[in-house]
Amino acid sequence: MRKRVILISLAILAAILVILGALFIDRGDTKQVIEKIGDSDLFTAEEIESAMAAVKKEFRKSFQDCTLTKLWYDENICKLEQEDWKTQYHADDAIVLLSDFEVGRSGGDKSLNAGSAYKNWEWILVRNTGGEWEIKTWGY
């Protein structure tokens, strides 16, 4: 009986620690990002918004202690790079989004410079007809 109580207590403690860790982990902040879609001959506003949603989701997951400040679509840049990305990833569509973000004092996952700002960071997303946008790569 006592062994059972100890096991149950340990299980409850482990669950509480997991919940607290999920609540307080440094994740990427996208709450105040300024989004700009602009005009496009290639995509609808809804398609661009869907790609932006995928970027924000990935940023929250992978860019700990970073704050996404701007996220935008630039038709000229997309037209310059689109065909190469479609070919490389064997996709029907490719979109290029740009972003600015700031890195906190911890440097996130240590691959970024702590306390710095990154400008014109590219996000490359692809999809096949009828599919969802999938992020393939990001960076400069």
Side-chain angles (χ1 to χ4, degrees), residues 16-96:
I16 290 170
L17 290 174
V18 168
I19 292 168
L20 288 175
L23 291 174
F24 295 107
I25 192 168
D26 285 330
R27 294 187 176 181
D29 181 5
T30 62
K31 293 180 193 119
Q32 297 180 9
V33 63
I34 297 168
E35 297 177 34
K36 183 179 177 198
I37 293 176
D39 295 326
S40 176
D41 296 327
L42 301 174
F43 303 105
T44 66
E46 291 79 18
E47 290 173 311
I48 297 169
E49 288 170 0
S50 177
M52 287 181 164
V55 167
K56 290 186 294 186
K57 181 178 180 181
E58 184 64 35
F59 191 90
R60 285 190 299 270
K61 179 178 126 189
S62 299
F63 285 71
Q64 290 81 17
D65 194 30
C66 296
T67 301
L68 187 63
T69 56
K70 295 180 185 173
L71 179 62
W72 69 96
Y73 171 76
D74 183 310
E75 181 97 338
N76 293 327
I77 290 174
C78 192
K79 283 182 178 179
L80 283 173
E81 299 182 19
Q82 183 184 42
E83 290 303 318
D84 290 338
W85 293 117
K86 284 168 50 173
T87 300
Q88 181 173 340
Y89 292 110
H90 309 288
D92 296 327
D93 277 326
I95 190 170
V96 179

